[in-house]
Amino acid sequence: MNAARGETNLPIGGVARRLCLTLGALAEIEAAFGCTRISELEARMRTLSAADLLVVLAALLRGGGEGELATRLSEQDVAPGSAARAVAEAFRLGLAG
């Protein structure tokens, strides 16, 4: 994990996986939610459903180089609270710089 690059980890199936809010991941999330502005995305992120959380996690996994896992994320054992905290941390790190 490299926090300077905006990376954070999330245990998935007992293995620490890298999440990263890259520009590509951010664009993917905006497109999935139909957002055209960061302010719209910020509001949407406050009311994520479980399905939305999977969309965001998949994009962040792809940003972290975990694309193969992202395609089968719904089949994995992911703790919702840990996932929400990791997503928040990825956004905090990714938007800090």
Side-chain angles (χ1 to χ4, degrees):
M1 180 183 77
N2 184 346
R5 282 197 49 220
E7 296 175 355
T8 191
N9 285 331
L10 173 66
I12 299 176
V15 177
R17 301 298 185 151
R18 186 176 43 218
L19 306 179
C20 187
L21 181 65
T22 62
L23 189 56
L26 187 58
E28 181 180 339
I29 296 164
E30 285 177 337
F33 294 156
C35 298
T36 58
R37 296 190 174 121
I38 291 288
S39 60
E40 293 172 2
L41 182 59
E42 182 180 349
R44 178 68 188 269
M45 293 293 289
R46 290 189 176 124
T47 59
L48 290 181
S49 68
D52 293 342
L53 186 56
L54 284 174
V55 168
V56 174
L57 280 176
L60 295 175
L61 282 164
R62 279 189 278 282
E66 301 273 3
E68 199 271 309
L69 177 63
T71 63
R72 51 187 176 80
L73 185 58
S74 63
E75 303 164 9
Q76 303 302 308
D77 181 23
V78 181
S82 295
R85 285 187 293 278
V87 164
E89 182 67 359
F91 270 81
R92 185 187 71 77
L93 292 170
L95 298 176

